[in-house]
Every structure is written in C-alpha cells, then in structure tokens.
Amino acid sequence: MKTNDIIRNGMWDQNVVFAQILGMCPTMALTSSATNGLGMGLATTAVLLVSNMAVSSVRKVVTEQVRIPVFIIIIAAIVTLVDMSLNAWMHDLHKVLGLYIPLIVANCAILGRAEAFACKNTVVDSGIDGLFMGLGFTCALTSIGIVREIIGSGTLFSQASLLLGPHFAFLETRVIPNYGGTLMMILPPGGFLTLGLLLAVRKRIEMRRKVHGAVTANAQPSHCGA
Amino acid sequence: MNMATLREGISYQGVLLAAFSMLTAASLVFGNAVTASASSAAEENDLKLSLTQVLPAGFSDNDLLKDVVVIKDDKLGDVEVHRAAKNGVVKGATFETASSGYAGPIKILVGISSDGVVQGVRVLKHAETPGLGDKIEEAKTSWIHSFEGKALTNTRWLVKKDGGDFDQFAGATITPRAVVKAVKEALEFHQAHHDAIYSK
C-alpha cells in the first residue's frame, strides 16, 4: 500500500470518527473542550502507533483463532504502560486525562486497526497507519472540542498550558467575553449535536467532490478472519 | 508433524496465549518497577501541595506529611489528621472528609486552626455536573474561599436558600449544600476530638 494512501485514509477517507464512526465513547466524553480532545487524541495516537507496530511484528506467529485475545492483551499492556509513565513523568497531564486513559483499551478503533491493517501489513506501514489514524482521530476530537467549547463556554483551548506546557499559554483565549455558557453543549447531547453537524459538513464536501469526478474508492476494511 | 498442522493444534494456541500473557505481564512488572518511585513522589508532592493550600502561608513549619494522628470517629470513621505545628506547638489540623453531592461523593480537604476557625477548604475529587456543580473547584470560581474565617459559632452552616450564610449556584443547590455540610461536619469532628488532636 502506498504511504500517501495510508495517510489519506487516516486523515480523511477512513477517518476513525467521521468515516468509520468508531471510538464514540471518548468522542462524546472528552470533547467538552478543545484541550481535552487534543490530549485524548494524542494519548490515543501514541497507543495506536505502538500497538499497530507490535501487532504487525507478531502477525506471522499469531493464528487466526487466538488473534483477538492476543491483540487485546497487547493493547491493554501498552495502555497500562502509557498510563503508568504519564502518572510518573507527566503528572499534571495525568491529573487531567488520567481518568480516561484506561478507557483507550475499550476504544474499538485500536483493535479495529490491528484487525484491519496491522495484521496483514509490514511493521513500517502499520506504524504509519497507526500514526495517521491517530492524528485523524486527534483532529476530529479537537474540532468537535473547538465547536463545543466556543458555544458551550465561550473559550478556546482553556487549560492548554496544562497539557502542552507554559509556552502554549497563548492558545488560551476567551472568544466571547462575559458569556454565561450554554450548558447543553458541554453535556453529552452537545457532543452528539456537534458530531452530527460535522458529519453533515463532511458529507457535503464528499458530495461536492463526487460531482467534480474526483471520488476515490472508499473501500470498507476487510478483516483478518474474513 | 509439519508446521501448518501444528499451528492448527490446540496446544500451539494454548502455548501462544500463555506466552503472550507472560510477556505482557513481564512488561508491566518492568514498567511498574521503572515508574514506581517517580509516581509515588509525584503523588506525595500532590498531597503536600494540597495540604499547604488549605493553610495560610507561614502557618506551620513542620512536615505535614509526617505528623499524622489517626482518630476514630463514629460518623467519619478513621480520619488521618495531619497536624500543623510552628516552633513545636501544634496550631492546626488538616484532614480529608467527604459528603455525597449530586453525582457521587465530594472529597474535600479542610484546614482548621486550633481555635476552631476554618483556614481553607479545597475540593479534591468530585463528579458534579460540568458548568454547574464544578464551581466548587478553586480553579473555576472563588466560592470555596467563602469558608475561610468561619467557625461553628459565628456562622449559619446552610446555603442561603435554606436560610444560611453560603451562596448556592444558579441551577445547582445540591452541590454547595453538600460541601457546606462536609465542612460543618469537619468542624464538629475537630471540636469533638480537640484533645486527641492537640494533646500529643
């Protein structure tokens, strides 16, 4: 598979959130602010990158019958290691994201990539796929977070310095001054509304592209066992 | 037996699963060993930081983490009281307590001086509604500072809606009510066990 295609798949054509509609739990729970979305996205990207490469490197040893439990143990171990190292060395960030890190195990996007890509591609390709699937996920979460945060609390990237370090304090902006906030956008319904809205925007762009004849094959991933 | 038939056998699958379990378990043991000291140091630092936050600057000069007395209480159970001392004289106490809010328990840390006046309160952990109940956090509003200087005798320990001295939030009464109750209980605990805390 060409590297360009892998990147394109991850960022747009098979974007975890907007095309595959996977990983809805973190998508709803962690996008009440742009910073939270970004943090969760980056943590997921790290796990995806490592898990894809790990799964790919053992793909010739693992048989079809036991692949799911093996993949799950690998993913769970990686997530636990990420959790432990964040707690030890990036403690402030862990205080913000700590509650949600163990949930990455249950993000089916990660097992999905192991199944759909890593178990039949080389380690390097799988690494690239993991990285860009993760970045696509990060972009999706951050954009949902941006919409919800602006409408919900009138701020943008609040507490970004906690996530990225004090150098990024300039990102923290108050978009709408003296704004009481719209609670519904912060609560779960806001997540669904925003996701629906952005899905519609994506659909519209896709339809435009179809009209212009520049459509690419959007094949659904076939699975190892299938 | 060739490799292909071996791979289909139940023993290959079993050994494979066992091998992966052991491998991942070993990696976790390794990860834990590497991070253990750094994470316990970070957590200790957290506690220390929050312990000093509920006391005014310069209130004490001892190591709050080390000076601990455990006191049994009928209502609060076993409470770990960190004593704050200056020049060897115990001047105050900080401890954790909790009460149930709108969505699960709200854990708070209270600092009280020996004359029964609240020096500071911080919310350690809660699951209240974002945007409504989370105004009890110091990072969000200054509400939590309204407890400072209050004692059992000079204050009506209720929210304003119930005829007390503490503001509630628009749309969230249960949360501040729970915090007020927790702080009041902390003061009552402090009064009831005054001798136990300060005698040693």
Side-chain angles (χ1 to χ4, degrees):
Chain A
M1 207 174 198
K2 287 222 312 271
T3 308
N4 275 350
D5 290 340
I6 301 176
I7 296 174
R8 201 191 155 82
N9 271 344
M11 299 304 288
W12 184 267
D13 284 347
Q14 286 183 21
N15 184 288
V16 175
V17 174
F18 292 136
Q20 301 188 58
I21 326 275
L22 287 178
M24 285 298 108
C25 166
T27 306
M28 293 306 153
L30 273 160
T31 55
S32 57
S33 79
T35 307
N36 280 355
L38 183 66
M40 185 61 180
L42 291 177
T44 310
T45 305
V47 173
L48 253 174
L49 174 69
V50 182
S51 78
N52 255 14
M53 291 174 80
V55 165
S56 176
S57 62
V58 299
R59 71 186 188 279
K60 297 221 170 85
V61 191
V62 179
T63 58
E64 198 193 305
Q65 291 89 337
V66 291
R67 67 181 198 283
I68 303 264
V70 168
F71 294 167
I72 283 287
I73 314 175
I74 293 176
I75 294 168
I78 293 168
V79 171
T80 313
L81 288 173
V82 168
D83 191 31
M84 287 195 290
S85 32
L86 272 183
N87 188 28
W89 296 303
M90 294 166 84
H91 194 68
D92 286 330
L93 180 58
H94 189 266
K95 271 191 266 181
V96 185
L97 295 176
L99 197 60
Y100 301 100
I101 301 260
L103 288 179
I104 298 178
V105 181
N107 185 340
C108 51
I110 295 176
L111 185 64
R113 285 334 279 171
E115 271 279 272
F117 197 94
C119 69
K120 48 194 178 199
N121 285 287
T122 62
V123 176
V124 175
D125 278 357
S126 300
I128 298 171
D129 179 76
L131 180 64
F132 283 95
M133 276 291 159
L135 289 178
F137 185 65
T138 308
C139 290
L141 253 56
T142 311
S143 49
I144 297 175
I146 288 173
V147 174
R148 287 180 72 183
E149 192 179 348
I150 290 178
I151 305 178
S153 8
T155 57
L156 191 57
F157 285 107
S158 67
Q159 294 180 317
S161 53
L162 220 58
L163 177 70
L164 303 163
H167 295 300
F168 286 85
F170 70 90
L171 277 175
E172 301 176 17
T173 40
R174 173 153 280 283
V175 182
I176 314 172
N178 304 322
Y179 181 56
T182 309
L183 185 63
M184 193 181 69
M185 290 305 280
I186 301 292
L187 296 177
F192 285 100
L193 287 173
T194 312
L195 178 67
L197 195 82
L198 292 178
L199 275 176
V201 171
R202 182 183 189 275
K203 194 89 189 160
R204 172 117 188 119
I205 297 172
E206 287 285 292
M207 279 164 76
R208 282 255 172 102
R209 279 171 59 192
K210 217 174 246 173
V211 172
H212 294 297
V215 68
T216 48
N218 193 358
Q220 282 302 304
S222 63
H223 289 238
C224 289
Chain B
M1 207 193 284
N2 66 18
M3 196 58 201
T5 45
L6 181 71
R7 274 172 68 101
E8 292 303 311
I10 190 85
S11 48
Y12 177 84
Q13 323 264 4
V15 170
L16 188 74
L17 267 182
F20 270 100
S21 308
M22 281 197 296
L23 213 71
T24 48
S27 74
L28 290 184
V29 170
F30 176 73
N32 189 42
V34 170
T35 58
S37 65
S39 55
S40 67
E43 271 155 26
E44 193 166 284
N45 198 31
D46 267 3
L47 184 62
K48 203 173 194 165
L49 205 71
S50 50
L51 284 177
T52 48
Q53 267 184 351
V54 294
L55 295 172
F59 187 84
S60 62
D61 57 6
N62 65 330
D63 187 352
L64 287 167
L65 281 180
K66 299 266 163 62
D67 198 343
V68 181
V69 282
V70 178
I71 289 167
K72 271 194 200 328
D73 184 74
D74 298 337
K75 222 164 161 185
L76 303 183
D78 283 353
V79 182
E80 263 188 31
V81 179
H82 296 265
R83 303 195 296 176
K86 195 161 193 180
N87 304 323
V89 184
V90 182
K91 288 178 64 194
T94 65
F95 51 92
E96 275 180 33
T97 172
S99 73
S100 51
Y102 184 70
I106 302 174
K107 265 173 80 176
I108 63 166
L109 186 73
V110 194
I112 302 172
S113 58
S114 57
D115 53 356
V117 176
V118 177
Q119 299 298 315
V121 183
R122 288 292 180 280
V123 175
L124 296 177
K125 202 173 177 183
H126 74 89
E128 302 302 289
T129 318
L132 288 179
D134 67 353
K135 294 193 177 96
I136 54 175
E137 287 174 33
E138 207 241 353
K140 301 266 158 64
T141 70
S142 62
W143 180 81
I144 201 76
H145 292 289
S146 63
F147 289 103
E148 284 155 25
K150 300 287 194 326
L152 278 176
T153 46
N154 67 4
T155 309
R156 286 166 298 164
W157 287 89
L158 293 166
V159 292
K160 281 189 179 145
K161 202 179 194 175
D162 303 334
D165 286 339
F166 297 96
D167 285 327
Q168 63 265 4
F169 312 130
T173 315
I174 296 170
T175 308
R177 207 181 259 160
V179 179
V180 170
K181 180 168 165 265
V183 179
K184 186 187 178 207
E185 279 174 2
L187 280 171
E188 286 166 352
F189 167 86
H190 180 265
Q191 196 173 47
H193 300 280
H194 197 275
D195 293 344
I197 296 172
Y198 295 98
S199 60
K200 276 175 249 173

